[in-house]
Every structure is written in C-alpha cells, then in structure tokens.
Amino acid sequence: MQRRYYGTLAAVAALSLAATLSGCGAGTGSGEVTLKLVAADYGSNASNTSQKYWDELVAAFRKKHPDIAVEVDVRSWKDVDRDVAEMVAKDEAPDLAQIGAYADFAAEDKLYPTSELLPIPTQANFLQRLNQAGEVDRVQYGMPFAASTRLLFFNEELFEKAGLEPPKTWQGIVTAAAKLKAQGVKYPFALPLGTEESQAETMMWMLSGGGGYQDAVNTGYDINSAANIQTFTWLKDKLVTPGLTGPIDPGQLDRQAAFDAFTKGEVGMLNGHPTLMEAAEKAGVKFGMVPLPSPDGEATPSMGVADWMMAFKQNGHREEIGEFLKFVYEDQNVLDFSDAYDILPVTVTASTAMEGDSKHKKLRPFLRELDNSELYPVGKTSWARVSKSVKANIGKAVTPDGDPEAVLNGIAKEAADAEAAE
C-alpha cells in the first residue's frame, strides 16, 4: 500500500511548502460565526456515540479559532441521510453534513466544490481512489470522511473442529460450508441479502465473480452482465438451494442479524467489515479473515465503502467552513476517529501512519484491500434509485424458484431508467 503512495506523498510535501487556497486564512475578522454540522453516528450505543468525538474536536478547534463556533447534531444512520435531504428541501441546509451520499446535492448546485474550501495539500492528501469517487462531472464535491473494506470472516474454532482451512476458491466455500453444516453449524455461510445493506453483499459477490455494478471503464451500469448472472446463479444453485446459508431465506436476512449471529458463534463464514472485528473480539469469538475467494482463486477487487463530508452554499460561510475542515482532516483527528470506530482513514498520511503502527495490526488487511477496492458509483445521481432497487429485489434471485437473470434484468432496466433521468 505504501509503495503506491510515494508519489502522492511527495506531491503533498511539495505543495505544502507553497500552495494555499485563497480565502482560507486563520479567522475571518468579521465577528463570531456559528457553523452547523449534521453528522452520522458510528457508535453502537450511548457510551461510544460519535457525539463525544465531535464535541472534543470542536472544543479543540474553538481554542484555535475563538471566532468560529461549531454546533454538531449527530443522528442515527437510519435517519441522517433522509433528515439532511428534508432540511435542504426546506431551504434549511446545514453548513456541513457528514452522511452517505452527496451527488444529488451537487447536481442541484447546492454544494461548494472542494477546491473552494481546502488548500491544495489537504485536497491532494485524500486517497486517490476516494478523491475520484467524490467527483461529479470531474469536479470534487464529496470529501471522503470514513472508509472501510470487506473481508471474509471465518470462525476459527468451528473451522478447527471441522478440520478446515480458509477457502481460496468458490468451490472451497462450498466444501467448507457442507462440512460445517454436517457439524451442526446454524449458518455455514451467512448470506445477508435483506433490505438493510444487500447492495453491499451484492457488490462483493459481483466483484468476486469478475463483474460489478458498472462496465469495465465505469461509464455506465452493467448489472445484468453475463458475469453477474453467473455469480447469482452459482449462489442460488451451490449455496442457497443445498441449505448452506442457514435457516433464514437470504432475502430476509439483514446484515446486522448476520453479524449478531457471528458474535454468538452460530456462523461459520460471512463477509464483514472492521467493526465486526471489534464486536467478535468483545464476544470472545476467535476468527480469521481472508479476501473473499474467487472462482479460480485469483485475486479480484474488493468492495470499498466511503462516507462523505459536504459543505452547503446556502449560508455562505465558505471561509469558516474551510478553516474547520482543514482541522478535521489533520492527521491526529483522522486517526482519533479511526481508532474510536475501527474505520479506515481517508488520507495518505494518516493511512501510512496507521499501517506503520503495531497497535493497528489487525486493520492492516483492510487497509491493503482498500488499495485494490472498487466503490459504489456514488457520483451518479441515479445510484440512490439503483441501490434501492437492489435492496428490494436481489434476494429474489436466490430463492428456490428464483430466476437470477430475470431479477438482474429488472434491476438493470430500473438503472437505465434512472440514468436516463439524470
């Protein structure tokens, strides 16, 4: 991972000597300004809510910038995207939002471009893959705030009992799942294709099978490609129909329910992100992690996910927003958030620091996967509609009487309609 970033790090260092963004000086000299930020909660309960992180960060920022106050309103992931959209629709946009999607607001000319907010060294310090994902028509509006990737988790005790090694191929998954089933494991392979986050599970399997949501050059959707149809036909025929995915129809199994079952020792294998690691450790579950196998065992891109920071034009606080964001993206602040929630940092320098720190050893596999990951097509305003269609329909592709090709054709048609409406 570090090798790829040497050039970028050099550019950041060089730019930092001379480049600054006009209008991003220390303080505005125009009296106190109060910025409003609506942010998503990464905590699992009141004791580790993100509000604590933001309160501490804002207090530290205010010491350096007494003329800029920041009010942070942290809301549940279940509500925050919708809530911000409603605020914008009422012409009550916050100055900043840290949520899951930005493209609709950018398309409506509601957001400041990143180039008007941050000095060039800060812009250049974002991981390149995430920078590109934050663009609409080659202009960056979405600033990456948090990232994660996915790995295949397996229960080491269940594998040892069944005499198994981590699978490297799809056939290896089937063989392991069959042995786990014979040992009485409730979910040999948990396959959450319910409405909670099935767009993620879907993308993981598409990439593993050589496909994806978009075509090879990422210019348009390719949801019903031959590779994707083959992947979901395999899932239906080889995992679901033989009963290797557990007692619940995958289309009715949500991600959190699958994660909860893993922490109870009821799951042999499933795809997971870094927060599952912490939950499993707290539950005393011994686990291993490997990249999701492919049909032939060759490496394939993993799925990466980023959440976004965006700045709204409505209140006109560009300079103050820029000052705050420069502080937000300082290495120590990025690392503090990553430490608190087992999230991957979004900047080159913070990523390099994390990879070199032994206390983050368990996150290194996720960091390496981020280097080779593919992200959702979040720069498309159509993505929200496509994601909704995937959540509603993909589980039907693997039911006993399901038709993977027909289901993917239906989602592809909705994607084409949504793209035509952009």
Side-chain angles (χ1 to χ4, degrees):
M1 184 172 179
Q2 286 177 286
R3 290 194 300 271
R4 174 175 290 191
Y5 297 135
Y6 283 158
T8 307
L9 284 168
V12 172
L15 287 166
S16 66
L17 296 175
T20 57
L21 184 71
S22 65
C24 284
T28 66
S30 58
E32 181 173 305
V33 167
T34 299
L35 302 178
K36 295 184 178 181
L37 163 63
V38 178
D41 194 353
Y42 289 77
S44 57
N45 53 58
S47 67
N48 68 344
T49 174
S50 299
Q51 190 73 54
K52 292 185 176 182
Y53 168 81
W54 285 113
D55 287 349
E56 292 176 3
L57 184 140
V58 166
F61 174 76
R62 191 70 190 269
K63 289 180 179 179
K64 294 184 176 182
H65 300 273
D67 56 341
I68 306 175
V70 185
E71 296 177 355
V72 184
D73 180 2
V74 172
R75 305 191 181 199
S76 165
W77 268 115
K78 293 181 179 180
D79 306 317
V80 68
D81 286 273
R82 182 189 67 246
D83 290 351
V84 170
E86 290 176 353
M87 292 175 192
V88 174
K90 294 176 182 177
D91 289 328
E92 298 174 356
D95 297 284
L96 292 150
Q98 186 273 298
I99 54 178
Y102 66 88
D104 285 350
F105 302 128
E108 295 169 359
D109 196 29
K110 302 284 189 183
L111 302 179
Y112 286 114
T114 303
S115 60
E116 294 183 13
L117 299 167
L118 294 174
I120 293 174
T122 305
Q123 295 176 57
N125 197 26
F126 289 127
L127 296 173
Q128 183 178 6
R129 194 172 294 270
L130 302 182
N131 251 345
Q132 293 171 344
E135 295 178 352
V136 174
D137 295 330
R138 297 188 178 183
V139 177
Q140 185 177 3
Y141 297 93
M143 291 160 277
F145 180 75
S148 69
T149 54
R150 304 294 193 264
L151 293 172
L152 178 69
F153 283 65
F154 61 94
N155 184 307
E156 289 184 339
E157 291 183 353
L158 295 179
F159 264 60
E160 184 177 347
K161 183 179 178 181
L164 295 168
E165 295 292 329
K168 297 180 180 179
T169 65
W170 281 6
Q171 182 54 50
I173 290 176
V174 172
T175 300
K179 290 185 177 180
L180 291 167
K181 182 181 180 182
Q183 293 279 345
V185 175
K186 187 174 182 179
Y187 296 92
F189 195 108
L191 183 67
L193 295 177
T195 58
E196 181 188 354
E197 204 189 23
S198 53
Q199 83 283 1
E201 190 75 16
T202 296
M203 184 171 175
M204 284 181 264
W205 282 103
M206 285 179 169
L207 292 172
S208 174
Y213 282 122
Q214 299 188 89
D215 57 31
V217 292
N218 292 337
T219 58
Y221 292 108
D222 198 18
I223 291 169
N224 57 343
S225 67
N228 291 341
I229 292 170
Q230 184 177 5
T231 292
F232 277 86
T233 300
W234 182 88
L235 284 171
K236 176 194 171 188
D237 293 345
K238 301 298 184 180
L239 279 184
V240 181
T241 299
L244 301 180
T245 55
I248 299 176
D249 179 350
Q252 302 301 316
L253 181 64
D254 283 339
R255 180 201 61 179
Q256 190 58 54
F259 280 13
D260 290 345
F262 187 81
T263 63
K264 295 175 184 176
E266 298 175 345
V267 175
M269 298 171 280
L270 84 170
N271 295 318
H273 52 61
T275 56
L276 177 59
M277 183 175 62
E278 180 183 10
E281 287 175 344
K282 287 182 177 179
V285 174
K286 295 181 179 179
F287 60 91
M289 302 176 296
V290 294
L292 180 61
S294 63
D296 57 6
E298 294 296 316
T300 57
S302 63
M303 187 193 78
V305 176
D307 301 324
W308 304 96
M309 179 74 77
M310 63 213 69
F312 289 90
K313 294 179 178 180
Q314 180 176 327
N315 301 317
H317 296 147
R318 181 180 65 83
E319 293 184 17
E320 294 83 1
I321 291 170
E323 286 295 336
F324 181 62
L325 288 175
K326 281 197 298 181
F327 187 74
V328 167
Y329 286 108
E330 289 181 5
D331 277 358
Q332 191 56 57
N333 295 328
V334 172
L335 287 168
D336 284 348
F337 187 84
S338 299
D339 282 344
Y341 301 105
D342 282 330
I343 294 292
L344 304 183
V346 296
T347 64
V348 173
T349 49
S351 294
T352 302
M354 175 177 277
E355 190 166 16
D357 190 337
S358 60
K359 76 176 183 179
H360 296 298
K361 182 178 180 180
K362 290 183 179 179
L363 281 173
R364 288 173 183 167
F366 293 99
L367 281 167
R368 298 185 187 110
E369 287 299 302
L370 186 60
D371 195 31
N372 187 41
S373 66
E374 298 288 343
L375 279 75
Y376 298 133
V378 290
K380 293 177 175 288
T381 57
S382 57
W383 169 241
R385 181 174 166 184
V386 174
S387 176
K388 183 178 179 180
S389 179
V390 172
K391 291 178 183 180
N393 295 296
I394 196 64
K396 302 171 188 175
V398 297
T399 58
D401 58 350
D403 184 338
E405 183 172 2
V407 170
L408 291 172
N409 283 341
I411 298 171
K413 182 182 184 306
E414 189 151 3
D417 291 345
E419 201 162 26
E422 284 188 324

